[in-house]
mmCIF file of all heavy atoms in Angstrom:
data_model
loop_
_atom_site.group_PDB
_atom_site.id
_atom_site.type_symbol
_atom_site.label_atom_id
_atom_site.label_comp_id
_atom_site.label_asym_id
_atom_site.label_seq_id
_atom_site.Cartn_x
_atom_site.Cartn_y
_atom_site.Cartn_z
ATOM 1 N N GLY A 9 3.172 -13.022 -20.948
ATOM 2 C CA GLY A 9 2.207 -12.151 -21.609
ATOM 3 C C GLY A 9 1.770 -11.007 -20.710
ATOM 4 O O GLY A 9 0.670 -10.491 -20.835
ATOM 5 N N PHE A 10 2.660 -10.595 -19.779
ATOM 6 C CA PHE A 10 2.375 -9.532 -18.802
ATOM 7 C C PHE A 10 1.127 -9.850 -17.979
ATOM 8 O O PHE A 10 0.281 -8.994 -17.744
ATOM 9 C CB PHE A 10 2.220 -8.176 -19.491
ATOM 10 C CG PHE A 10 3.480 -7.630 -20.096
ATOM 11 C CD1 PHE A 10 3.566 -7.391 -21.459
ATOM 12 C CD2 PHE A 10 4.579 -7.354 -19.306
ATOM 13 C CE1 PHE A 10 4.728 -6.879 -22.028
ATOM 14 C CE2 PHE A 10 5.744 -6.856 -19.855
ATOM 15 C CZ PHE A 10 5.823 -6.617 -21.221
ATOM 16 N N GLN A 11 1.022 -11.082 -17.497
ATOM 17 C CA GLN A 11 -0.095 -11.485 -16.641
ATOM 18 C C GLN A 11 0.438 -11.898 -15.273
ATOM 19 O O GLN A 11 1.274 -12.796 -15.175
ATOM 20 C CB GLN A 11 -0.858 -12.647 -17.281
ATOM 21 C CG GLN A 11 -1.488 -12.283 -18.618
ATOM 22 C CD GLN A 11 -2.158 -13.473 -19.278
ATOM 23 O OE1 GLN A 11 -3.315 -13.784 -18.991
ATOM 24 N NE2 GLN A 11 -1.448 -14.143 -20.153
ATOM 25 N N VAL A 12 -0.065 -11.259 -14.218
ATOM 26 C CA VAL A 12 0.475 -11.508 -12.879
ATOM 27 C C VAL A 12 0.005 -12.829 -12.288
ATOM 28 O O VAL A 12 0.652 -13.372 -11.386
ATOM 29 C CB VAL A 12 0.104 -10.367 -11.900
ATOM 30 C CG1 VAL A 12 0.756 -9.066 -12.301
ATOM 31 C CG2 VAL A 12 -1.411 -10.213 -11.775
ATOM 32 N N ASP A 13 -1.124 -13.345 -12.765
ATOM 33 C CA ASP A 13 -1.688 -14.536 -12.132
ATOM 34 C C ASP A 13 -1.579 -15.788 -12.992
ATOM 35 O O ASP A 13 -2.164 -16.817 -12.678
ATOM 36 C CB ASP A 13 -3.155 -14.305 -11.761
ATOM 37 C CG ASP A 13 -3.997 -13.861 -12.957
ATOM 38 O OD1 ASP A 13 -3.420 -13.662 -14.050
ATOM 39 O OD2 ASP A 13 -5.218 -13.707 -12.794
ATOM 40 N N ILE A 14 -0.811 -15.725 -14.056
ATOM 41 C CA ILE A 14 -0.696 -16.881 -14.936
ATOM 42 C C ILE A 14 0.189 -17.950 -14.294
ATOM 43 O O ILE A 14 1.178 -17.647 -13.621
ATOM 44 C CB ILE A 14 -0.153 -16.464 -16.322
ATOM 45 C CG1 ILE A 14 -0.365 -17.584 -17.336
ATOM 46 C CG2 ILE A 14 1.316 -16.059 -16.245
ATOM 47 C CD1 ILE A 14 -0.155 -17.157 -18.772
ATOM 48 N N VAL A 15 -0.196 -19.208 -14.481
ATOM 49 C CA VAL A 15 0.543 -20.342 -13.919
ATOM 50 C C VAL A 15 0.906 -21.289 -15.061
ATOM 51 O O VAL A 15 0.041 -21.705 -15.834
ATOM 52 C CB VAL A 15 -0.302 -21.100 -12.873
ATOM 53 C CG1 VAL A 15 0.505 -22.251 -12.268
ATOM 54 C CG2 VAL A 15 -0.794 -20.156 -11.778
ATOM 55 N N SER A 16 2.187 -21.629 -15.164
ATOM 56 C CA SER A 16 2.619 -22.539 -16.218
ATOM 57 C C SER A 16 2.348 -23.982 -15.814
ATOM 58 O O SER A 16 2.061 -24.285 -14.644
ATOM 59 C CB SER A 16 4.117 -22.363 -16.499
ATOM 60 O OG SER A 16 4.891 -23.005 -15.497
ATOM 61 N N SER A 17 2.468 -24.883 -16.765
ATOM 62 C CA SER A 17 2.253 -26.307 -16.483
ATOM 63 C C SER A 17 3.293 -26.835 -15.499
ATOM 64 O O SER A 17 3.046 -27.822 -14.804
ATOM 65 C CB SER A 17 2.312 -27.108 -17.787
ATOM 66 O OG SER A 17 3.571 -26.913 -18.432
ATOM 67 N N ALA A 18 4.445 -26.168 -15.424
ATOM 68 C CA ALA A 18 5.497 -26.600 -14.493
ATOM 69 C C ALA A 18 5.328 -26.003 -13.101
ATOM 70 O O ALA A 18 6.052 -26.364 -12.173
ATOM 71 C CB ALA A 18 6.867 -26.219 -15.048
ATOM 72 N N GLY A 19 4.377 -25.050 -12.960
ATOM 73 C CA GLY A 19 4.145 -24.430 -11.657
ATOM 74 C C GLY A 19 4.795 -23.082 -11.480
ATOM 75 O O GLY A 19 4.776 -22.519 -10.381
ATOM 76 N N ALA A 20 5.370 -22.524 -12.558
ATOM 77 C CA ALA A 20 5.919 -21.169 -12.496
ATOM 78 C C ALA A 20 4.768 -20.169 -12.513
ATOM 79 O O ALA A 20 3.758 -20.382 -13.178
ATOM 80 C CB ALA A 20 6.861 -20.921 -13.669
ATOM 81 N N VAL A 21 4.932 -19.063 -11.777
ATOM 82 C CA VAL A 21 3.817 -18.128 -11.565
ATOM 83 C C VAL A 21 4.266 -16.685 -11.770
ATOM 84 O O VAL A 21 5.396 -16.321 -11.442
ATOM 85 C CB VAL A 21 3.252 -18.295 -10.130
ATOM 86 C CG1 VAL A 21 2.273 -17.187 -9.788
ATOM 87 C CG2 VAL A 21 2.568 -19.648 -9.970
ATOM 88 N N GLY A 22 3.349 -15.890 -12.299
ATOM 89 C CA GLY A 22 3.507 -14.443 -12.295
ATOM 90 C C GLY A 22 4.170 -13.850 -13.516
ATOM 91 O O GLY A 22 4.497 -14.542 -14.482
ATOM 92 N N LEU A 23 4.350 -12.526 -13.467
ATOM 93 C CA LEU A 23 4.966 -11.787 -14.573
ATOM 94 C C LEU A 23 6.273 -12.410 -15.017
ATOM 95 O O LEU A 23 6.571 -12.499 -16.205
ATOM 96 C CB LEU A 23 5.237 -10.340 -14.154
ATOM 97 C CG LEU A 23 4.106 -9.330 -14.095
ATOM 98 C CD1 LEU A 23 4.642 -7.985 -13.641
ATOM 99 C CD2 LEU A 23 3.439 -9.186 -15.458
ATOM 100 N N TRP A 24 7.076 -12.818 -14.026
ATOM 101 C CA TRP A 24 8.435 -13.281 -14.315
ATOM 102 C C TRP A 24 8.552 -14.792 -14.191
ATOM 103 O O TRP A 24 9.655 -15.332 -14.244
ATOM 104 C CB TRP A 24 9.431 -12.569 -13.397
ATOM 105 C CG TRP A 24 9.321 -11.082 -13.501
ATOM 106 C CD1 TRP A 24 8.738 -10.232 -12.600
ATOM 107 C CD2 TRP A 24 9.771 -10.261 -14.580
ATOM 108 N NE1 TRP A 24 8.804 -8.937 -13.047
ATOM 109 C CE2 TRP A 24 9.427 -8.921 -14.267
ATOM 110 C CE3 TRP A 24 10.430 -10.517 -15.785
ATOM 111 C CZ2 TRP A 24 9.729 -7.851 -15.101
ATOM 112 C CZ3 TRP A 24 10.725 -9.452 -16.623
ATOM 113 C CH2 TRP A 24 10.377 -8.140 -16.279
ATOM 114 N N GLN A 25 7.434 -15.471 -14.007
ATOM 115 C CA GLN A 25 7.370 -16.936 -14.026
ATOM 116 C C GLN A 25 8.399 -17.596 -13.111
ATOM 117 O O GLN A 25 9.205 -18.442 -13.535
ATOM 118 C CB GLN A 25 7.502 -17.442 -15.458
ATOM 119 C CG GLN A 25 6.268 -17.175 -16.309
ATOM 120 C CD GLN A 25 5.074 -18.031 -15.889
ATOM 121 O OE1 GLN A 25 4.975 -19.191 -16.265
ATOM 122 N NE2 GLN A 25 4.163 -17.457 -15.121
ATOM 123 N N PHE A 26 8.368 -17.224 -11.842
ATOM 124 C CA PHE A 26 9.236 -17.844 -10.854
ATOM 125 C C PHE A 26 8.664 -19.181 -10.402
ATOM 126 O O PHE A 26 7.470 -19.297 -10.122
ATOM 127 C CB PHE A 26 9.380 -16.946 -9.622
ATOM 128 C CG PHE A 26 10.418 -15.870 -9.759
ATOM 129 C CD1 PHE A 26 10.038 -14.549 -9.970
ATOM 130 C CD2 PHE A 26 11.764 -16.165 -9.660
ATOM 131 C CE1 PHE A 26 10.988 -13.552 -10.086
ATOM 132 C CE2 PHE A 26 12.722 -15.175 -9.775
ATOM 133 C CZ PHE A 26 12.337 -13.862 -9.987
ATOM 134 N N MET A 27 9.535 -20.164 -10.284
ATOM 135 C CA MET A 27 9.191 -21.384 -9.570
ATOM 136 C C MET A 27 9.249 -21.076 -8.075
ATOM 137 O O MET A 27 9.949 -20.141 -7.661
ATOM 138 C CB MET A 27 10.161 -22.511 -9.923
ATOM 139 C CG MET A 27 10.090 -22.956 -11.376
ATOM 140 S SD MET A 27 8.491 -23.702 -11.803
ATOM 141 C CE MET A 27 8.644 -25.295 -10.960
ATOM 142 N N PRO A 28 8.518 -21.838 -7.228
ATOM 143 C CA PRO A 28 8.511 -21.523 -5.792
ATOM 144 C C PRO A 28 9.905 -21.432 -5.175
ATOM 145 O O PRO A 28 10.210 -20.493 -4.439
ATOM 146 C CB PRO A 28 7.701 -22.670 -5.187
ATOM 147 C CG PRO A 28 6.813 -23.134 -6.288
ATOM 148 C CD PRO A 28 7.614 -22.969 -7.542
ATOM 149 N N SER A 29 10.763 -22.399 -5.482
ATOM 150 C CA SER A 29 12.096 -22.423 -4.860
ATOM 151 C C SER A 29 12.943 -21.242 -5.289
ATOM 152 O O SER A 29 13.618 -20.612 -4.464
ATOM 153 C CB SER A 29 12.808 -23.734 -5.208
ATOM 154 O OG SER A 29 12.905 -23.896 -6.617
ATOM 155 N N THR A 30 12.901 -20.891 -6.578
ATOM 156 C CA THR A 30 13.684 -19.752 -7.061
ATOM 157 C C THR A 30 13.145 -18.455 -6.490
ATOM 158 O O THR A 30 13.905 -17.559 -6.122
ATOM 159 C CB THR A 30 13.661 -19.698 -8.601
ATOM 160 O OG1 THR A 30 13.986 -20.979 -9.127
ATOM 161 C CG2 THR A 30 14.650 -18.665 -9.120
ATOM 162 N N GLY A 31 11.823 -18.343 -6.415
ATOM 163 C CA GLY A 31 11.225 -17.151 -5.824
ATOM 164 C C GLY A 31 11.695 -16.938 -4.394
ATOM 165 O O GLY A 31 12.049 -15.822 -4.003
ATOM 166 N N ARG A 32 11.704 -18.012 -3.619
ATOM 167 C CA ARG A 32 12.139 -17.893 -2.218
ATOM 168 C C ARG A 32 13.617 -17.508 -2.127
ATOM 169 O O ARG A 32 14.006 -16.736 -1.244
ATOM 170 C CB ARG A 32 11.882 -19.205 -1.486
ATOM 171 C CG ARG A 32 10.402 -19.531 -1.307
ATOM 172 C CD ARG A 32 10.192 -20.763 -0.443
ATOM 173 N NE ARG A 32 8.781 -21.130 -0.367
ATOM 174 C CZ ARG A 32 8.243 -22.159 -1.013
ATOM 175 N NH1 ARG A 32 9.003 -22.945 -1.777
ATOM 176 N NH2 ARG A 32 6.955 -22.422 -0.890
ATOM 177 N N ILE A 33 14.441 -18.050 -3.026
ATOM 178 C CA ILE A 33 15.872 -17.696 -3.034
ATOM 179 C C ILE A 33 16.051 -16.192 -3.173
ATOM 180 O O ILE A 33 16.929 -15.590 -2.544
ATOM 181 C CB ILE A 33 16.606 -18.437 -4.172
ATOM 182 C CG1 ILE A 33 16.730 -19.926 -3.846
ATOM 183 C CG2 ILE A 33 17.993 -17.831 -4.416
ATOM 184 C CD1 ILE A 33 17.243 -20.767 -5.002
ATOM 185 N N PHE A 34 15.200 -15.575 -3.976
ATOM 186 C CA PHE A 34 15.310 -14.136 -4.228
ATOM 187 C C PHE A 34 14.332 -13.311 -3.386
ATOM 188 O O PHE A 34 13.981 -12.185 -3.730
ATOM 189 C CB PHE A 34 15.158 -13.847 -5.720
ATOM 190 C CG PHE A 34 16.341 -14.322 -6.519
ATOM 191 C CD1 PHE A 34 16.325 -15.565 -7.131
ATOM 192 C CD2 PHE A 34 17.493 -13.559 -6.598
ATOM 193 C CE1 PHE A 34 17.426 -16.028 -7.839
ATOM 194 C CE2 PHE A 34 18.596 -14.006 -7.300
ATOM 195 C CZ PHE A 34 18.569 -15.249 -7.920
ATOM 196 N N GLY A 35 13.906 -13.889 -2.256
ATOM 197 C CA GLY A 35 13.212 -13.113 -1.233
ATOM 198 C C GLY A 35 11.709 -13.047 -1.314
ATOM 199 O O GLY A 35 11.095 -12.242 -0.603
ATOM 200 N N LEU A 36 11.088 -13.867 -2.143
ATOM 201 C CA LEU A 36 9.633 -13.830 -2.266
ATOM 202 C C LEU A 36 8.979 -14.807 -1.301
ATOM 203 O O LEU A 36 9.458 -15.931 -1.120
ATOM 204 C CB LEU A 36 9.205 -14.172 -3.699
ATOM 205 C CG LEU A 36 9.688 -13.216 -4.791
ATOM 206 C CD1 LEU A 36 9.225 -13.703 -6.159
ATOM 207 C CD2 LEU A 36 9.200 -11.794 -4.538
ATOM 208 N N ARG A 37 7.894 -14.376 -0.704
ATOM 209 C CA ARG A 37 7.128 -15.247 0.188
ATOM 210 C C ARG A 37 6.154 -16.077 -0.641
ATOM 211 O O ARG A 37 5.366 -15.536 -1.426
ATOM 212 C CB ARG A 37 6.371 -14.420 1.224
ATOM 213 C CG ARG A 37 5.489 -15.262 2.147
ATOM 214 C CD ARG A 37 4.889 -14.449 3.283
ATOM 215 N NE ARG A 37 3.992 -15.276 4.087
ATOM 216 C CZ ARG A 37 3.401 -14.878 5.213
ATOM 217 N NH1 ARG A 37 3.635 -13.655 5.668
ATOM 218 N NH2 ARG A 37 2.600 -15.685 5.885
ATOM 219 N N VAL A 38 6.206 -17.381 -0.467
ATOM 220 C CA VAL A 38 5.305 -18.292 -1.181
ATOM 221 C C VAL A 38 4.804 -19.330 -0.184
ATOM 222 O O VAL A 38 5.552 -20.207 0.244
ATOM 223 C CB VAL A 38 6.019 -18.991 -2.362
ATOM 224 C CG1 VAL A 38 5.034 -19.879 -3.116
ATOM 225 C CG2 VAL A 38 6.655 -17.983 -3.305
ATOM 226 N N ASP A 39 3.535 -19.213 0.220
ATOM 227 C CA ASP A 39 2.948 -20.171 1.161
ATOM 228 C C ASP A 39 1.439 -20.240 0.937
ATOM 229 O O ASP A 39 0.942 -19.780 -0.101
ATOM 230 C CB ASP A 39 3.296 -19.816 2.617
ATOM 231 C CG ASP A 39 2.859 -18.403 3.019
ATOM 232 O OD1 ASP A 39 1.797 -17.949 2.543
ATOM 233 O OD2 ASP A 39 3.575 -17.753 3.802
ATOM 234 N N ASP A 40 0.712 -20.789 1.890
ATOM 235 C CA ASP A 40 -0.729 -20.965 1.714
ATOM 236 C C ASP A 40 -1.516 -19.659 1.763
ATOM 237 O O ASP A 40 -2.673 -19.614 1.337
ATOM 238 C CB ASP A 40 -1.285 -21.912 2.793
ATOM 239 C CG ASP A 40 -0.875 -23.356 2.567
ATOM 240 O OD1 ASP A 40 -0.508 -23.679 1.417
ATOM 241 O OD2 ASP A 40 -0.926 -24.154 3.516
ATOM 242 N N TRP A 41 -0.926 -18.620 2.308
ATOM 243 C CA TRP A 41 -1.614 -17.337 2.454
ATOM 244 C C TRP A 41 -1.170 -16.312 1.412
ATOM 245 O O TRP A 41 -1.994 -15.555 0.899
ATOM 246 C CB TRP A 41 -1.374 -16.762 3.853
ATOM 247 C CG TRP A 41 -1.952 -17.596 4.940
ATOM 248 C CD1 TRP A 41 -1.317 -18.595 5.635
ATOM 249 C CD2 TRP A 41 -3.288 -17.557 5.447
ATOM 250 N NE1 TRP A 41 -2.175 -19.163 6.539
ATOM 251 C CE2 TRP A 41 -3.393 -18.546 6.458
ATOM 252 C CE3 TRP A 41 -4.399 -16.770 5.156
ATOM 253 C CZ2 TRP A 41 -4.559 -18.766 7.172
ATOM 254 C CZ3 TRP A 41 -5.571 -16.985 5.874
ATOM 255 C CH2 TRP A 41 -5.646 -17.972 6.859
ATOM 256 N N ILE A 42 0.118 -16.297 1.145
ATOM 257 C CA ILE A 42 0.719 -15.267 0.299
ATOM 258 C C ILE A 42 1.543 -15.918 -0.799
ATOM 259 O O ILE A 42 2.292 -16.864 -0.559
ATOM 260 C CB ILE A 42 1.653 -14.350 1.135
ATOM 261 C CG1 ILE A 42 0.886 -13.685 2.279
ATOM 262 C CG2 ILE A 42 2.312 -13.304 0.239
ATOM 263 C CD1 ILE A 42 -0.170 -12.692 1.850
ATOM 264 N N ASP A 43 1.414 -15.380 -2.014
ATOM 265 C CA ASP A 43 2.294 -15.784 -3.115
ATOM 266 C C ASP A 43 2.799 -14.514 -3.789
ATOM 267 O O ASP A 43 2.129 -13.943 -4.649
ATOM 268 C CB ASP A 43 1.565 -16.669 -4.119
ATOM 269 C CG ASP A 43 2.518 -17.268 -5.157
ATOM 270 O OD1 ASP A 43 3.666 -16.796 -5.243
ATOM 271 O OD2 ASP A 43 2.110 -18.215 -5.863
ATOM 272 N N GLU A 44 3.976 -14.067 -3.350
ATOM 273 C CA GLU A 44 4.504 -12.796 -3.847
ATOM 274 C C GLU A 44 5.045 -12.891 -5.262
ATOM 275 O O GLU A 44 5.422 -11.864 -5.835
ATOM 276 C CB GLU A 44 5.558 -12.263 -2.883
ATOM 277 C CG GLU A 44 4.942 -11.835 -1.558
ATOM 278 C CD GLU A 44 5.938 -11.320 -0.533
ATOM 279 O OE1 GLU A 44 7.149 -11.609 -0.669
ATOM 280 O OE2 GLU A 44 5.500 -10.647 0.416
ATOM 281 N N ARG A 45 5.015 -14.053 -5.865
ATOM 282 C CA ARG A 45 5.315 -14.152 -7.294
ATOM 283 C C ARG A 45 4.241 -13.423 -8.102
ATOM 284 O O ARG A 45 4.483 -13.028 -9.253
ATOM 285 C CB ARG A 45 5.389 -15.613 -7.722
ATOM 286 C CG ARG A 45 6.529 -16.401 -7.081
ATOM 287 C CD ARG A 45 6.481 -17.861 -7.465
ATOM 288 N NE ARG A 45 5.262 -18.521 -6.991
ATOM 289 C CZ ARG A 45 4.888 -19.743 -7.361
ATOM 290 N NH1 ARG A 45 5.614 -20.424 -8.225
ATOM 291 N NH2 ARG A 45 3.777 -20.275 -6.870
ATOM 292 N N ARG A 46 3.063 -13.246 -7.497
ATOM 293 C CA ARG A 46 1.952 -12.550 -8.146
ATOM 294 C C ARG A 46 1.976 -11.042 -7.877
ATOM 295 O O ARG A 46 1.152 -10.303 -8.429
ATOM 296 C CB ARG A 46 0.618 -13.127 -7.657
ATOM 297 C CG ARG A 46 0.432 -14.603 -7.950
ATOM 298 C CD ARG A 46 -0.787 -15.156 -7.230
ATOM 299 N NE ARG A 46 -0.907 -16.592 -7.380
ATOM 300 C CZ ARG A 46 -1.661 -17.206 -8.301
ATOM 301 N NH1 ARG A 46 -2.370 -16.476 -9.141
ATOM 302 N NH2 ARG A 46 -1.710 -18.514 -8.373
ATOM 303 N N ASP A 47 2.846 -10.592 -7.018
ATOM 304 C CA ASP A 47 2.992 -9.175 -6.702
ATOM 305 C C ASP A 47 3.951 -8.576 -7.728
ATOM 306 O O ASP A 47 5.143 -8.876 -7.733
ATOM 307 C CB ASP A 47 3.549 -9.018 -5.283
ATOM 308 C CG ASP A 47 3.650 -7.576 -4.831
ATOM 309 O OD1 ASP A 47 4.156 -6.735 -5.608
ATOM 310 O OD2 ASP A 47 3.259 -7.276 -3.691
ATOM 311 N N PHE A 48 3.425 -7.724 -8.618
ATOM 312 C CA PHE A 48 4.261 -7.269 -9.735
ATOM 313 C C PHE A 48 5.489 -6.500 -9.263
ATOM 314 O O PHE A 48 6.565 -6.599 -9.860
ATOM 315 C CB PHE A 48 3.432 -6.436 -10.724
ATOM 316 C CG PHE A 48 3.297 -4.976 -10.379
ATOM 317 C CD1 PHE A 48 4.204 -4.042 -10.857
ATOM 318 C CD2 PHE A 48 2.259 -4.531 -9.576
ATOM 319 C CE1 PHE A 48 4.083 -2.702 -10.545
ATOM 320 C CE2 PHE A 48 2.126 -3.194 -9.257
ATOM 321 C CZ PHE A 48 3.046 -2.274 -9.746
ATOM 322 N N GLU A 49 5.372 -5.749 -8.165
ATOM 323 C CA GLU A 49 6.503 -4.958 -7.696
ATOM 324 C C GLU A 49 7.542 -5.845 -7.006
ATOM 325 O O GLU A 49 8.737 -5.798 -7.337
ATOM 326 C CB GLU A 49 6.017 -3.873 -6.741
ATOM 327 C CG GLU A 49 7.111 -2.906 -6.321
ATOM 328 C CD GLU A 49 6.568 -1.770 -5.466
ATOM 329 O OE1 GLU A 49 6.068 -2.057 -4.363
ATOM 330 O OE2 GLU A 49 6.651 -0.617 -5.904
ATOM 331 N N LYS A 50 7.108 -6.663 -6.067
ATOM 332 C CA LYS A 50 8.047 -7.525 -5.350
ATOM 333 C C LYS A 50 8.690 -8.548 -6.275
ATOM 334 O O LYS A 50 9.882 -8.847 -6.150
ATOM 335 C CB LYS A 50 7.334 -8.215 -4.187
ATOM 336 C CG LYS A 50 6.956 -7.267 -3.061
ATOM 337 C CD LYS A 50 6.254 -7.986 -1.926
ATOM 338 C CE LYS A 50 5.894 -7.021 -0.803
ATOM 339 N NZ LYS A 50 5.156 -7.691 0.298
#
């Protein structure tokens, strides 16, 4: 729904609903400080 901070019941996050592992495969930082799945550009 074009929401950057939405989290699915499975743990997918962001505009493109990346799971943590898939996000990292495609270069996104996901840790306790940064979650680039929420960064619309990255």
Side-chain angles (χ1 to χ4, degrees):
F10 292 119
Q11 297 176 85
V12 295
D13 55 356
I14 194 167
V15 182
S16 78
S17 58
V21 170
L23 283 179
W24 305 104
Q25 288 290 279
F26 277 105
M27 295 295 287
S29 57
T30 310
R32 292 186 185 105
I33 289 171
F34 290 95
L36 298 178
R37 177 172 177 174
V38 183
D39 57 35
D40 288 340
W41 296 92
I42 302 293
D43 189 347
E44 292 179 341
R45 295 176 297 170
R46 300 170 186 264
D47 184 313
F48 85 91
E49 186 175 63
K50 290 180 180 178

